Amino acid sequence: MALHSTPGAASAPFDLRIDSGGDLFPVSEERPRLSFTVPAVLDDWHASELEAVVDGEPVGAVVLESTEHLFVPWPWPVLSSGQRVRWRVRVHAPSGASSWSEWTSFEAGLLDADWAADWISPVERDTPAAGERGAHVLSRAFSADEVVSARLYSTALGVYEARINGERVGSAELSPGSSSYDRTLYAQAADVTALLRAGENVVEIVLSDGWYRGQVGAFRIPAGWGTQLGARAELHLELTDGARRVIRTDAAWMSAPSSITRADLMDGQTTDLQVSQGHAEPALVGVVSGPAPSWSPAPPVRIVETCAVAHSTRVDDETWVLDFGQNASGWIRLDDLGAAGTRTVIDYGEFVGPDGDLDTSHLDSTRPGEPVKVFVQRDVVVSDGSDAVFEPRHTVHGFQYARVGRDGGAFDPSSAVMRVVQTDLRRTALFESSSSDLNRLHEIADWSFRGNAVDVPTDCPTRERLAWTGDYQVFAPTAARLYDVLGFTRKWLRSVRDDQLDDGRIANFSPDGRRIKNNLDDQFAQMTGSSGWGDAITFVPWEMYRTYGDRRVLEENWDAMVRWVEWVLAAARDNRHPSRVQRSAEPQEHERFLWDGTFHWGEWTEPVLKAEDGSRLDPIKVNPMAWFMADKGEVGTAYLHRSARILADTARVLGRPDDEIRYADIADRVLDAWRTEFVREDGRTAQDTQAAYVRALAFGLMPEASRSAAAARLVELIREAGTHLGTGFLSTGDLLPVLTEAGYADVAYDLLFQRSEPSWLHMVDKGATTIWEDWEGIDDDGVAHESLNHYSKGAVVRFLHTHTLGLRQEPTSIAWESFVIAPVPDQRVTAASGHADTPQGRASVDWRVVDGEMRIDAEIPAGSRATVVFPGGETFEAGPGRFTGSAAIRPTA
C-alpha cells in the first residue's frame, strides 16, 4: 500500500469570473458577484485581497477576512451603465501573500433606467401566415469622426442580427434568445469600435419572427407573445475630445424588406440574393413595447464547431445527400452557390432510409382530428452569381443528414459544412474508460445534450424543440456534471417562474409560447401540473445550489417553489383518484397527503407491454383513456415528498426556521402516507414495477427494514425481463446508482452492457450518434421511430462519472467541499480516468486494475476534502494535492 499527498505548483488564484453572460466580453448588472479558484498549494489561505479599476481609475483594495471565494458580493460602489472593470485577486496565508492573479475584465450593461431608445417596428405591407414571413431590415445612417470607442446595446421582439457597415456585430447567434417575452427580455452588448469608419456609417438590425411570433412545437402553432416585431438599440460613441454621442432607435430609422423572404426557426429560411433590399420607408415608432431589457446570466448561443461532410451520396442528377457523421443542432454553410439564378434547396433530417435518401417521416405529428403535419426543415437560397456565402442565421435545425437539390447546376459536396450551433457552455468534466462501448455511449449522450442546449434545454432539436420541465428535471444533475450550466439554468428558471400559473402550477414547458397561464380553457391546460414535471421548480434550483453553492438560485425561486408545493398539497387534499373513491366513500386520514387525483404524465414510456410477437407496445396508443385515468398516485406522492423535503432544506439555507419546520413536518406526513398506501405487508410496493422500486430507493421512501428486500425484488424483476430495464422516463437515470448502492453492481453493469433493446448499447450498435427518444429508435427493418435526439435517457452517463469513475460529491456537501472517490470496477471495465472542474477547482481520478489490485491516482483541489474508498473497503482521507494509493480488489481473509 502506497499513500502520499503532494501540493500542486500554481501560486496564484485563477479562473476569475462574474455571475453574468455576454458575447465577446462578460456583461453585468450593477452589482455583479465575483468568483475565483484557489490552487491546492494555497489551501491554508485565510483571507483574500481584491483590487479593481473602473473606467481606468483604481477604486481601492478590499480585504475579506474569510475563505469566501464563490459569489462574493460586489465590494465597491454600484456600477453605472457602461462602466468597464478590471479586477484581480490574491490570497493571504500564514506564510504570506500569494502572487496576484491575472487581471480579468467585464463591463456593466446599459441599465434599465438609462435606456432611452424608442421601440421601433418594421413596416409590413402584407401578413403571410407564420412560417412564411420574411425578415426586415431596420437601419439608420449617421456620420462619425474621431471615434475612440463604441458600444452597441440592442434587443428585439423576434430574432435579430445587428450589422454596422455590412459587418455582423459580435459572435452571438439567435439573439436575443428565448424567454417569456411578456416579462423577460435580454439585451446584448458589443464593442463595435473596429466596425466604424470616418464619415458615413450605417447601422442595421435584420429582424425576423424567431421565438416571439414564429412557429413552435410539434404542431407548428404560432407563438402567442405578440403580433408585431420590434427592436430597440443604442449605439454609444466616445469621441477623441471626450464628448459622447448616442444613436438610438427612433423616428429617424428606416424599414425595408430584406433578401430573406422566409424565416422561421422551425421550418427554415429562404434567401434570394437576386432580390435587392426593398423600398425603405420610415420605421414604425412606439407600436410595440417590451419589458425592460436585462442581462442574461447565461453564455450566448454561438457556432461552436464546424464539421465537414463525412460522406455524400448522389441520389439523382440534381440531388445529393450529405452525411456529416454527427447528429447536432445548427445549419449548413454553403460556399459555392452557383451561377446567377441557381436555386439550391436544403432539407435537413436525422435519418436516411434504405434507399439512401433523406427520410423525416418518423418526425411527422398529428393533432387529434387534424391531418398529419409533415415534418419539414428546409432552407432555400437563390444565387446572384457573386461569391456570396449562404449561412441561414434566422433558423436552426436538428440534423445529421442534408438533402441538397440544385436546379440544373453542379454541386460540390465539399463546399458545404455543418455549423454546430448551441449555447457555448464551458465543459467541466471528462470521462474515459477501458471500454470503448462506454466511451461511445458517453460521447453520444454528451452530443445529445449539446444538441438540445440551444439557449434553453429542449427535448429534441427537431419535431418539438420545447423546453419541457420534466426532461431537464431528469437530466439536470448530469448536465451540471458535464458542463457549467448554472447561468444557463438560472436563465431558464426565470422563464419557468414567468410562466407559472396563478394557482401555482408549473407549465409543462418554458418559455411557453402557447401561454397556457392565459388560456386555462385550453385542453393542454388540463394536462398541466404533473409530478416530475412541475417538480423541476424545486429539484433543479436545489441541484444547482448543491453543485455550485449559489444561494441566489434558491432565493430567486423560493416563492415559485412554495406556490408549487402549496398547489400540490391542495390538489392532494381536495382530489381523490376514482379507485380510492370506489374503495371507500370517505377518505382515510392519510389520503389527504396522497397526490393521486389530478393529471400526471406518470412514469412515461415504461417498456412494459408486449404484443404477441414480443414487441413492446405504447400504453398510450393501446388505450389512451385507460392511460389517462390510471392511478399515478405512487409517482405523484413520491414527488410531493421530495419537493416538500427540498423546501424544508431550502428554508434552512435561507434562514427561514418556521418554514423549515412546516415543510419538514409535511414531508414526514407525505412519507407516512406513501408508505401506508404503497408498501404492502410483504414489503413490496403496490405497483411492483422496476420504476416503483427505483423511485422508492432513490427518494428514501422505503422503510429501512424493507430496503434490502426492495432492492432484491428490483433485481428479480430485471432478471425476469431477461436482464432488461423496465423503467420509464422519470426513474431510468436513477436505476444503475440504486442497484450499485444496494450491492448489485454486477446487475447494474449487466444492464449497462445489455445489447438488445431496451438498452443503451443497442443504440450504439445501431450507429446512433445521439440518444434516441424510443429505445428502438431504428428497428431491425431499418425504420426510424420518434426523435433520434432526445437527451433524457442519456442521464445514464452520470453513473459513469459517479460510480464507474467513482468521483461524486458527498450527499451533504455543497459546492464540492467534500467528495468521495470510490470506483466501482467490473470485469468489463478495468480502468477509467476523468475529472470534474468543481467550484473549488479540478478534482481528477485515474484508476486501473492489474492482477487483482487497483491503483488510484487523484488530485484534490484546495477547499475540498476527499474520502477515498477502494473496492475492498480500505478507506483513506485525503486533503488538497495529490493522492496515490493501491489495494487489493477484495480484502484478504
Side-chain angles (χ1 to χ4, degrees):
M1 178 73 198
L3 177 67
H4 68 273
S5 182
T6 59
S11 61
F14 61 98
D15 192 21
L16 278 63
R17 57 205 183 272
I18 64 170
D19 60 337
S20 295
D23 183 9
L24 299 181
F25 53 83
V27 183
S28 77
E29 301 281 0
E30 63 268 26
R31 290 184 180 90
R33 294 178 297 161
L34 310 175
S35 297
F36 55 92
T37 304
V38 179
V41 71
L42 298 173
D43 184 58
D44 59 348
W45 71 287
H46 58 79
S48 60
E49 184 177 358
L50 291 79
E51 284 190 347
V53 177
V54 178
D55 285 346
E57 296 294 327
V59 293
V62 173
V63 176
L64 303 176
E65 296 290 346
S66 75
T67 56
E68 185 178 14
H69 66 108
L70 299 174
F71 312 106
V72 176
W74 181 247
W76 296 287
V78 297
L79 296 173
S80 301
S81 291
Q83 287 193 306
R84 302 172 195 179
V85 180
R86 297 171 64 236
W87 70 287
R88 64 178 183 170
V89 62
R90 65 179 178 179
V91 297
H92 294 270
S95 58
S98 74
S99 301
W100 283 100
S101 69
E102 297 291 330
W103 288 97
T104 190
S105 302
F106 66 90
E107 297 185 12
L110 185 60
L111 304 178
D112 179 16
D114 296 326
W115 279 86
D118 293 322
W119 277 99
I120 63 172
S121 298
V123 178
E124 300 181 88
R125 294 302 180 189
D126 53 13
T127 55
E132 297 298 325
R133 293 186 282 260
H136 301 266
V137 179
L138 299 166
S139 63
R140 162 82 188 272
F142 64 97
S143 61
D145 293 305
E146 299 180 326
V147 175
V148 296
S149 179
R151 295 291 185 268
L152 178 67
Y153 305 102
S154 51
T155 188
L157 301 173
V159 161
Y160 80 97
E161 296 175 77
R163 299 175 183 167
I164 291 182
N165 297 323
E167 298 291 329
R168 287 190 73 239
V169 170
S171 65
E173 305 287 355
L174 304 176
S175 297
S178 179
S179 63
S180 299
Y181 293 100
D182 58 339
R183 295 188 179 180
T184 302
L185 180 65
Y186 296 106
Q188 286 69 47
D191 180 353
V192 296
T193 311
L195 301 182
L196 295 174
R197 58 194 179 208
E200 287 298 310
N201 293 266
V202 176
V203 56
E204 296 175 313
I205 293 174
V206 183
L207 182 60
S208 64
D209 285 1
W211 290 282
Y212 183 68
R213 67 172 194 183
Q215 299 180 108
V216 295
F219 309 119
R220 302 296 199 265
I221 299 171
W225 301 111
T227 59
Q228 177 70 54
L229 301 176
R232 198 179 188 196
E234 299 196 10
L235 176 59
H236 289 235
L237 307 177
E238 182 180 340
L239 308 181
T240 55
D241 62 1
R244 295 180 179 272
R245 182 182 174 202
V246 181
I247 309 297
R248 298 184 175 94
T249 46
D250 56 21
W253 284 60
M254 305 296 288
S255 167
S258 80
S259 60
I260 301 173
T261 59
R262 178 182 63 96
D264 186 79
L265 285 178
M266 301 291 288
D267 278 3
Q269 175 176 324
T270 298
T271 300
D272 189 344
L273 296 172
Q274 294 190 124
V275 174
S276 59
Q277 186 168 301
H279 172 68
E281 52 190 311
L284 305 177
V285 178
V287 298
V288 297
S289 63
S294 56
W295 300 96
S296 174
V301 174
R302 285 199 183 103
I303 296 170
V304 300
E305 194 169 336
T306 298
C307 303
V309 175
H311 178 74
S312 65
T313 301
R314 191 161 187 170
V315 178
D316 58 41
D317 290 345
E318 298 183 339
T319 309
W320 294 257
V321 173
L322 312 181
D323 177 2
F324 292 93
Q326 177 60 56
N327 202 2
S329 179
W331 54 66
I332 284 179
R333 171 189 167 114
L334 284 181
D335 290 338
D336 180 6
L337 304 182
T342 299
R343 186 173 187 265
T344 305
V345 179
I346 308 166
D347 287 298
Y348 299 79
E350 305 174 310
F351 179 70
V352 292
D355 61 355
D357 201 359
L358 189 73
D359 183 356
T360 62
S361 59
H362 61 292
L363 297 171
D364 293 347
S365 54
T366 306
R367 296 183 78 187
E370 294 185 5
V372 171
K373 183 75 174 180
V374 177
F375 179 80
V376 174
Q377 294 180 127
R378 176 175 295 162
D379 293 337
V380 181
V381 59
V382 179
S383 174
D384 63 354
S386 71
D387 59 357
V389 170
F390 175 62
E391 193 153 3
R393 287 191 159 92
H394 289 256
T395 190
V396 67
H397 308 297
F399 71 105
Q400 177 175 336
Y401 305 94
R403 180 202 289 125
V404 179
R406 178 162 285 181
D407 297 343
F411 173 70
D412 179 2
S414 68
S415 68
V417 295
M418 169 194 274
R419 301 286 239 172
V420 179
V421 178
Q422 63 185 67
T423 298
D424 194 4
L425 298 170
R426 180 172 68 165
R427 185 181 294 278
T428 54
L430 290 178
F431 170 85
E432 188 173 5
S433 75
S434 58
S435 168
S436 58
D437 285 332
L438 297 189
N439 297 342
R440 181 57 180 155
L441 174 62
H442 188 279
E443 186 177 12
I444 70 172
D446 181 84
W447 269 105
S448 202
F449 175 61
R450 288 177 57 185
N452 282 290
V454 182
D455 204 59
V456 292
T458 59
D459 61 332
C460 64
T462 50
R463 181 180 56 206
E464 293 191 47
R465 206 186 296 168
L466 295 170
W468 284 85
T469 48
D471 294 62
Y472 201 54
Q473 184 270 136
V474 166
F475 199 82
T478 308
R481 184 61 178 264
L482 297 176
Y483 294 94
D484 179 354
V485 295
L486 178 60
F488 173 80
T489 304
R490 284 181 59 210
K491 174 187 177 295
W492 176 70
L493 284 168
R494 182 164 177 176
S495 284
V496 175
R497 301 193 302 273
D498 287 347
D499 294 336
Q500 188 170 22
L501 280 64
D502 289 343
D503 60 12
R505 282 180 291 167
I506 297 297
N508 283 311
F509 44 78
S510 287
D512 179 16
R514 297 179 67 169
R515 306 192 71 187
I516 290 300
K517 66 183 179 184
N518 297 331
N519 298 282
L520 297 182
D521 56 347
D522 188 296
Q523 181 181 9
F524 202 61
Q526 309 309 310
M527 301 170 73
T528 297
S530 169
S531 59
W533 276 253
D535 295 286
I537 194 58
T538 58
F539 179 73
V540 175
W542 182 252
E543 191 66 23
M544 294 302 107
Y545 168 68
R546 283 195 66 247
T547 301
Y548 301 105
D550 185 4
R551 282 171 46 101
R552 183 169 295 180
V553 74
L554 299 179
E555 295 165 351
E556 290 171 337
N557 291 284
W558 170 258
D559 288 343
M561 295 163 74
V562 168
R563 290 175 59 211
W564 164 250
V565 171
E566 291 296 335
W567 177 83
V568 173
L569 288 169
R573 182 190 64 235
D574 298 339
N575 299 275
R576 299 176 71 203
H577 190 267
S579 64
R580 290 184 183 80
V581 175
Q582 187 175 17
R583 182 176 69 187
S584 66
E586 292 298 319
Q588 299 177 35
E589 177 61 26
H590 73 279
E591 287 187 47
R592 64 189 294 249
F593 292 105
L594 294 181
W595 185 20
D596 64 341
T598 58
F599 173 79
H600 295 288
W601 294 106
E603 182 59 25
W604 192 249
T605 64
E606 281 178 287
V608 290
L609 297 183
K610 295 284 185 177
E612 291 183 1
D613 63 0
S615 62
R616 291 184 297 106
L617 299 175
D618 185 339
I620 301 174
K621 295 177 181 177
V622 172
N623 191 333
M625 185 53 65
W627 169 82
F628 189 90
M629 294 300 295
D631 177 13
K632 304 185 184 76
E634 177 269 319
V635 181
T637 307
Y639 274 93
L640 172 55
H641 166 71
R642 189 179 74 167
S643 284
R645 183 68 258 169
I646 287 172
L647 214 52
D649 291 340
T650 301
R652 171 179 47 78
V653 172
L654 299 182
R656 307 177 69 102
D658 292 345
D659 289 319
E660 180 186 0
I661 293 170
R662 167 174 160 74
Y663 289 111
D665 178 66
I666 288 171
D668 289 343
R669 290 172 179 266
V670 174
L671 178 60
D672 288 343
W674 189 93
R675 290 174 173 175
T676 299
E677 187 70 24
F678 301 114
V679 179
R680 301 187 327 202
E681 291 183 2
D682 61 2
R684 292 185 176 183
T685 68
Q687 291 69 30
D688 197 35
T689 64
Q690 289 187 33
Y693 288 110
V694 170
R695 187 164 24 257
L697 293 166
F699 286 18
L701 301 172
M702 291 298 290
E704 189 62 34
S706 301
R707 288 183 64 84
S708 295
R713 177 56 179 161
L714 171 60
V715 170
E716 186 178 355
L717 291 171
I718 290 169
R719 295 304 192 193
E720 287 176 359
T723 312
H724 287 94
L725 56 83
T727 49
F729 183 88
L730 292 175
S731 60
T732 294
D734 289 325
L735 173 60
L736 302 190
V738 159
L739 285 168
T740 302
E741 288 157 22
Y744 296 99
D746 58 332
V747 181
Y749 277 111
D750 286 348
L751 286 172
L752 190 55
F753 281 97
Q754 176 62 258
R755 308 204 86 95
S756 59
E757 68 91 17
S759 72
W760 294 279
L761 292 190
H762 179 71
M763 302 183 200
V764 172
D765 289 344
K766 287 283 189 175
T769 65
T770 47
I771 298 293
W772 297 339
E773 179 178 12
D774 191 279
W775 289 109
E776 197 175 19
I778 300 175
D779 64 27
D780 291 338
D781 296 323
V783 177
H785 301 274
E786 311 302 334
S787 162
L788 300 183
N789 190 353
H790 238 76
Y791 68 99
S792 58
K793 290 183 176 72
V796 66
V797 301
R798 177 168 51 100
F799 174 83
L800 301 182
H801 288 268
T802 58
H803 291 77
T804 302
L805 180 62
L807 179 59
R808 60 186 180 270
Q809 190 175 193
E810 291 272 17
T812 58
S813 169
I814 302 301
W816 286 77
E817 291 179 341
S818 60
F819 58 88
V820 174
I821 300 173
V824 181
D826 180 80
Q827 60 184 358
R828 291 152 290 191
V829 190
T830 58
S833 62
H835 69 253
D837 288 332
T838 79
Q840 313 300 333
R842 175 164 293 184
S844 64
V845 175
D846 185 304
W847 66 262
R848 57 198 63 252
V849 175
V850 178
D851 296 332
E853 185 174 80
M854 174 180 282
R855 176 186 172 91
I856 298 177
D857 290 291
E859 290 284 347
I860 295 93
S864 292
R865 297 294 183 274
T867 300
V868 183
V869 183
F870 284 85
E874 295 92 337
T875 301
F876 302 92
E877 300 300 320
R882 184 180 178 187
F883 170 90
T884 299
S886 58
I889 290 293
R890 294 177 179 83
T892 57

